Amino acid sequence: MDMVERYLEAVAAQLSADEREDIVAELRDLILSRIEAKEEALGRALTDDEKEAILKEIGHPLVVAARYRKGPDSLIGPELFPYWLYGVKAGLVILLVVHGISLLMSLVGGPRDVGQAIAQAFHSYFGAGLTLIGALTLAGALMEHYDIKPKWLTEWRVKDLSAFQLTDPSQWSAAANAAGKTTGFKAPQVRRGSNPMVEAGFSFLALAIFCLWWIGLVHFPGLGDFRIDGARVAMTPAPIWATLFTPILAYALAQMAVDLFVLLRPEARRMKAILAMLIGCVGLWLTYMVFQAGHWFTLSVGADQARVAGDWVMLDLDRLRGLGEGERDLVGVASTLSLIGTWFLTICGLSMAFTVVANAWRAVQPGVASVTR
């Protein structure tokens, strides 16, 4: 087969059937005219190497076909790329927090090679990160291919741009604090005056991932999977989680709605305070219900079982000071997790109560300058 025809067939294979014939005919005329001009200048027929040089000047078949192909020439175009990058950065931060918790759980279970545990956590984080990037890339490619332009891509306001400071590492502590307010935990601030837009953006993304995990659409390998003396521990949720499954999901979705309202209407401070107060009351009630249930998880190693459970008796500073000094067997690990869970829920409840009172106060104040969510 002639070299030119082989080249044209390679180009044609990348084109749709309805436009292939016309494009190949046009491209053939271009190539033959260049070959004829070169032969006329040299006064002889071209060798195969000289013909190949002309084809290389025209371009690789994949590149040439892309010039004629309708639609975008890239998966993520220059207009959408900054949003894709923002989503990747924010998502990776959230995954890092989740895998940090998983690593802590694996180390609580008893003596273990710390280096191996860190390596496994990194491997899991790397895999989850690739999955996240792949999912965002697929979504971006679909938007590019079908020319989907959401309103947030074209209709934006300057006062809303502070939400994108989430990709600034110096803001991550403030953002983590925002996510922690969903559960009541408060992280130390890197600098004073955290930005409500940044907090709302991070909280929205964190809660979105939580909802997907809560309904079973997203899985985090290693989360809740740990060992005691080499034996794998099965962690079974207590009935309270099934009872509160729908209320917790509704609470997370409502909190996401408030975060979205903060992003879209940053000037509506009093309404934000009222909504945050109402959501805080729901969160406080959920925290109380979980605490009152007493039983949260059951740890099992073969036929042996131990409950992760807590009550008011565990709110003892002497017990807290002795954290980590207990036995590393099944019962000892369950006791340690029970003490951690009791104090964690208590701190969550106190933090939520403060948030409710603070937002109630701000809701009735004229000219409120900021809102504690």
Side-chain angles (χ1 to χ4, degrees), residues 36 52 70 73 93 97-99 104 117 121 164-165 180 188 190 203 215 231 243 256 274 295 298 303 313 335 343:
E36 291 173 359
E52 188 170 16
K70 297 178 181 179
D73 295 330
V93 172
V97 174
V98 171
H99 284 80
L104 178 62
F164 292 94
Q165 294 177 17
V190 170
S203 177
I215 62 179
T243 303
M256 288 178 63
I274 294 174
H295 176 209
T298 299
V313 178
S335 299
W343 279 93

Side-chain angles (χ1 to χ4, degrees), residues 13-356:
Q14 314 306 318
L15 302 171
S16 60
D18 58 339
E19 60 182 3
R20 182 179 301 170
E21 185 176 347
D22 293 338
I23 293 176
V24 169
E26 177 185 343
L27 191 57
R28 180 183 287 108
D29 291 341
L30 172 64
I31 295 173
L32 293 179
S33 64
R34 288 196 181 187
I35 291 177
E36 291 173 359
K38 188 70 172 179
E39 289 179 338
E40 183 177 351
L42 295 176
R44 60 175 175 81
L46 298 183
T47 64
D48 287 345
D49 289 341
E50 290 171 332
K51 289 182 181 180
E52 188 170 16
I54 291 177
L55 296 177
K56 287 183 176 180
E57 289 178 0
I58 295 176
H60 192 281
L62 293 176
V63 177
V64 172
R67 297 172 187 163
Y68 293 95
R69 191 182 301 120
K70 297 178 181 179
D73 295 330
S74 57
L75 287 177
I76 307 295
E79 183 179 9
L80 190 60
F81 178 78
Y83 297 89
W84 174 87
L85 184 61
Y86 170 80
V88 168
K89 287 183 177 180
L92 289 178
V93 172
I94 295 172
L95 288 177
L96 183 62
V97 174
V98 171
H99 284 80
I101 295 174
S102 176
L103 176 61
L104 178 62
M105 290 291 294
S106 67
L107 295 177
V108 166
R112 185 177 180 182
D113 186 344
V114 176
Q116 180 183 3
I118 294 176
Q120 291 179 351
F122 175 78
H123 181 269
S124 177
Y125 175 71
F126 185 75
L130 289 180
T131 302
L132 168 70
I133 294 173
L136 291 177
T137 301
L138 176 60
L142 292 175
M143 293 175 64
E144 288 285 350
H145 182 75
Y146 292 103
D147 196 25
I148 301 174
K149 292 186 179 296
K151 288 186 177 181
W152 50 260
L153 191 64
T154 56
E155 300 178 9
W156 52 272
R157 298 175 296 180
V158 173
K159 60 183 179 181
D160 298 337
L161 298 182
S162 56
F164 292 94
Q165 294 177 17
L166 176 56
T167 52
D168 179 5
S170 64
Q171 291 275 1
W172 288 351
S173 177
N177 177 54
K181 286 178 181 176
T182 304
T183 58
F185 177 74
K186 196 168 186 177
Q189 297 290 319
V190 170
R191 63 187 185 187
R192 300 175 66 181
S194 61
N195 194 314
M197 299 290 287
V198 176
E199 295 182 357
F202 189 94
S203 177
F204 183 88
L205 291 174
L207 286 167
I209 293 178
F210 168 80
C211 288
L212 293 176
W213 171 78
W214 188 248
I215 62 179
L217 294 180
V218 173
H219 300 278
F220 298 105
L223 186 61
D225 179 15
F226 62 99
R227 298 176 181 273
I228 296 178
D229 293 333
R232 184 180 181 277
V233 179
M235 179 180 288
T236 305
I240 185 61
W241 300 112
T243 303
L244 296 180
F245 178 86
T246 301
I248 290 176
L249 179 60
Y251 166 72
L253 292 174
Q255 182 64 66
M256 288 178 63
V258 173
D259 293 330
L260 187 60
F261 180 81
V262 172
L263 293 172
L264 297 178
R265 297 289 302 278
E267 73 283 355
R269 298 183 178 90
R270 177 169 284 108
M271 180 58 67
K272 288 186 294 183
I274 294 174
L275 292 175
M277 178 187 64
L278 295 176
I279 294 298
C281 289
V282 176
L284 187 60
W285 174 76
L286 288 172
T287 304
Y288 174 78
M289 292 297 293
V290 172
F291 188 92
Q292 282 295 105
H295 176 209
W296 305 318
F297 298 96
T298 299
L299 305 184
S300 303
V301 177
D304 297 329
Q305 292 185 342
R307 284 189 169 194
V308 177
D311 52 35
W312 299 103
V313 178
M314 288 191 174
L315 295 176
D316 186 342
L317 291 179
D318 290 334
R319 290 193 180 190
L320 187 61
R321 281 192 289 267
L323 183 66
E325 298 178 359
E327 297 294 332
R328 293 302 183 93
D329 56 7
L330 184 63
V331 175
V333 171
S335 299
T336 299
L337 293 178
S338 298
L339 184 61
I340 293 175
T342 300
W343 279 93
F344 177 75
L345 288 173
T346 301
I347 294 173
C348 286
L350 292 175
S351 179
M352 287 182 180
F354 171 79
T355 300
V356 169

